Amino acid sequence: MAAKQKQKSPSYHYDAIVIGTGPGGEGVAMQLAKAGKKVAVVERYEAVGGGCTHWGTIPSKALRHSVSRLIEYTSSPLFADNHLSKSLTFSDIMRHASGVVKSQTRLRSSFYDRNRVTLFYGEASFVDAHTLEITREDGSKDTVTAAQIAIATGSRPYCPKDIDFNHPRVYNSDTILSLDHDPKSIIIYGAGVIGSEYASIFRGLGVKVDLVNMRDRLLSFLDDEISDALSYHLWNNGVLIRHNETYSSVETLDDSVILNLESGKRMRADCLLFANGRTGNTDTLKLENVGLKADNRGQLRVNENYQTEIDNIYAVGDVIGYPSLASAAYNQGRFAAEAMLGISTHSALVADIPSGIYTIPEISSVGKTEQELTAAKVPYEVGRAQFKHLARAQIASTQTGSLKILFHRETKEILGIHCFGERASEIVHIGQAIMQQKGEGNTIDYFVNTTFNYPTMAEAYRVAAINGLNRIF
């Protein structure tokens, strides 16, 4: 009797295909390519980088930076007596932002070239668990196969059907970047991170801002004092905040928008920015062809290795939900790639992921809040440093804000860092680095016993540490 013939393993075009070139997709592709795998990526738009690079993080933060510098210029006594123009339009500033986007796109493109990753431009959809159909803009199609597939398609703004987002006065957080007129007033519906950031930006440009919040306080996940500081700063700068409000309808006119609230209030402005939630980009993937189903927010469920219910299909970034941060997505991509390679490293995102909120001034935090520690009955103490007392802040005229360190009264372990003020998103990482140390390496004493450059904003840690330790008796 003839020996049974050994079954041949299937042959694929690629070892892996990644759908999406944002931070998550880039993380997967680079890690797999560096491990010697044959990798392709599919990007639906004409350039790599995803929403992060083209209409999210990069352009909005470039915009925010320019407005912040404009505010510094107009408020500085050094320039108060000259007669140079002190105003800029939204489109003026976006021209600078577009230059940053182009630089980022060129850089990210070079990563794929250098690592010999094949790029397909078009919209990907599943034929089966190993096969993708890629539809180009001109309607032509490619069919490619791979042993493994990673979904990193990101998210888009949630746009309810009862609002006409095709109207030239109605925007979401993506389309607002194409604003080409100079509004005198704007209604921002949604006071989450994006809504609060744009409220700061538009107010910095001198635009009248109405910020509508569905909750009873701004950014309620933050430490209460930081949330209160943001509310006060926006209020003090002229932003009108309406809490506990929801819209009932939106009326669009040729030159304005009217927002009707469930409470009976009517608001009118030159334009509306709707910034209330995001949806995962899964609706065009034909997930039903592989037996996957997204939830009502367009998000996919994954296990600790970022593997979906289909063994060879993985997902990372905004498309899987929390924490929906560009910083976390890249690491998720690397960890997913390790799992796809069969490497058992037990890699995982750090438990305390820092938040960076680019309002004017910035907000950043890591670890526990005061209300969380109080609820858990942890005996903690507080150390504070006011920026107005720091020489570097006085030199730079960035005296608004403070740093707060929460630490255990007995062990002196750092439990949380909360910062409000310019460069907060940078400052927080010093505290984060100490918090990540094991055992006795995590102690507030570090900030007293080490030497900081002077003058620096980092010196706030020494000031806050001494302030906190003085409270212990």
Side-chain angles (χ1 to χ4, degrees):
M1 187 175 176
K4 190 174 182 180
Q5 190 174 9
K6 188 177 180 181
Q7 190 171 8
K8 193 175 181 181
S9 61
S11 176
Y12 302 112
H13 295 117
Y14 298 94
D15 295 316
I17 300 174
V18 183
I19 310 173
T21 62
E26 182 182 306
V28 176
M30 294 304 107
Q31 193 82 346
L32 292 176
K34 290 180 188 300
K37 296 297 182 181
K38 186 178 181 183
V39 182
V41 296
V42 185
E43 173 53 56
R44 69 188 299 184
Y45 296 103
E46 60 184 15
V48 301
C52 171
T53 299
H54 294 282
W55 50 87
T57 302
I58 298 302
S60 65
K61 275 47 178 182
L63 171 64
R64 183 254 179 224
H65 177 81
S66 296
V67 173
S68 181
R69 299 292 80 76
L70 176 63
I71 292 170
E72 285 183 19
Y73 175 81
T74 56
S75 61
S76 172
L78 185 63
F79 304 111
D81 295 330
N82 66 37
H83 302 289
L84 298 175
S85 172
K86 297 179 183 178
S87 63
L88 291 171
T89 67
F90 190 90
S91 54
D92 287 337
I93 295 175
M94 280 312 302
R95 277 194 287 273
H96 162 69
S98 65
V100 178
V101 170
K102 289 175 184 175
S103 296
Q104 280 288 305
T105 301
R106 282 194 298 269
L107 176 67
R108 315 229 85 78
S109 294
S110 71
F111 296 161
Y112 294 100
D113 291 339
R114 189 187 317 156
N115 288 280
R116 295 180 174 83
V117 174
T118 303
L119 272 168
F120 289 95
Y121 290 101
E123 190 164 294
S125 60
F126 283 97
V127 176
D128 58 45
H130 294 280
T131 309
L132 291 176
E133 183 177 79
I134 302 170
T135 305
R136 297 191 190 89
E137 196 172 353
D138 62 6
S140 61
K141 297 181 179 182
D142 276 320
T143 300
V144 291
T145 60
Q148 296 174 309
I149 295 173
I151 301 170
T153 47
S155 65
R156 63 183 182 275
Y158 168 64
C159 297
K161 291 182 171 57
D162 61 340
I163 297 177
D164 181 10
F165 285 91
N166 292 318
H167 191 278
R169 297 279 176 164
V170 178
Y171 300 90
N172 61 40
S173 58
D174 285 355
T175 59
I176 192 66
L177 294 166
S178 62
L179 178 72
D180 58 3
H181 62 100
D182 193 14
K184 302 301 180 191
S185 60
I186 185 171
I187 298 169
I188 299 177
Y189 185 84
V193 171
I194 294 173
S196 295
E197 288 178 351
Y198 274 106
S200 291
I201 288 169
F202 277 102
R203 191 65 200 125
L205 287 170
V207 178
K208 178 185 174 184
V209 177
D210 283 80
L211 180 62
V212 181
N213 183 23
M214 280 134 284
R215 296 184 172 85
D216 60 357
R217 64 186 300 119
L218 294 182
L219 307 181
S220 55
F221 60 89
L222 292 174
D223 185 272
D224 282 352
E225 283 192 341
I226 302 299
S227 173
D228 290 342
L230 174 63
S231 293
Y232 172 78
H233 197 76
L234 289 174
W235 172 82
N236 193 49
N237 285 340
V239 174
L240 178 59
I241 306 171
R242 301 179 188 267
H243 293 298
N244 295 314
E245 298 278 11
T246 54
Y247 82 94
S248 58
S249 65
V250 175
E251 300 173 35
T252 53
L253 307 172
D254 288 344
D255 61 348
S256 62
V257 175
I258 296 173
L259 182 70
N260 297 301
L261 300 177
E262 292 284 1
S263 63
K265 299 183 184 72
R266 282 168 61 84
M267 306 164 62
R268 181 171 182 162
D270 291 346
C271 57
L272 167 70
L273 167 57
F274 191 92
N276 183 32
R278 296 185 69 83
T279 301
N281 292 323
T282 52
D283 53 317
T284 61
L285 290 174
K286 296 185 180 178
L287 294 174
E288 64 275 10
N289 290 343
V290 294
L292 284 176
K293 186 176 182 180
D295 65 17
N296 61 354
R297 296 172 64 186
Q299 296 171 352
L300 294 169
R301 187 168 65 247
V302 295
N303 64 18
E304 68 277 5
N305 292 319
Y306 302 98
Q307 185 180 37
T308 68
E309 294 159 340
I310 307 304
D311 288 349
N312 71 300
I313 299 177
Y314 294 72
V316 297
D318 281 14
V319 80
I320 66 171
Y322 178 84
S324 295
L325 296 170
S327 54
Y330 190 86
N331 278 341
Q332 289 174 339
R334 291 196 306 110
F335 301 155
E338 290 175 356
M340 294 166 76
L341 291 165
I343 301 172
S344 180
T345 62
H346 305 290
S347 297
L349 293 176
V350 294
D352 293 319
I353 298 173
S355 66
I357 301 168
Y358 296 86
T359 46
I360 303 174
E362 291 176 3
I363 296 170
S364 196
S365 64
V366 63
K368 301 297 184 183
T369 64
E370 283 205 59
Q371 53 267 35
E372 287 172 335
L373 294 174
T374 299
K377 297 184 178 179
V378 175
Y380 74 94
E381 194 48 88
V382 182
R384 288 189 178 88
Q386 299 295 112
F387 283 5
K388 63 185 179 182
H389 298 146
L390 302 178
R392 183 62 180 266
Q394 293 168 1
I395 291 167
S397 296
T398 54
Q399 298 179 58
T400 298
S402 65
L403 173 71
K404 177 162 75 170
I405 303 175
L406 307 180
F407 64 99
H408 198 287
R409 283 185 62 94
E410 296 160 9
T411 66
K412 299 183 183 178
E413 174 190 2
I414 299 170
L415 305 170
I417 305 287
H418 305 279
C419 189
F420 177 76
E422 276 307 293
R423 306 293 186 269
S425 59
E426 305 280 358
I427 294 167
V428 75
H429 292 303
I430 300 171
Q432 180 196 24
I434 303 305
M435 283 180 64
Q436 289 297 310
Q437 303 307 304
K438 304 299 182 185
E440 294 181 0
N442 176 4
T443 170
I444 195 170
D445 287 330
Y446 171 84
F447 299 120
V448 178
N449 297 331
T450 196
T451 302
F452 290 91
N453 279 334
Y454 178 85
T456 59
M457 296 304 295
E459 186 198 1
Y461 279 98
R462 180 181 60 81
V463 175
I466 293 171
N467 175 267
L469 291 171
N470 284 340
R471 298 176 190 275
I472 296 177
F473 55 90

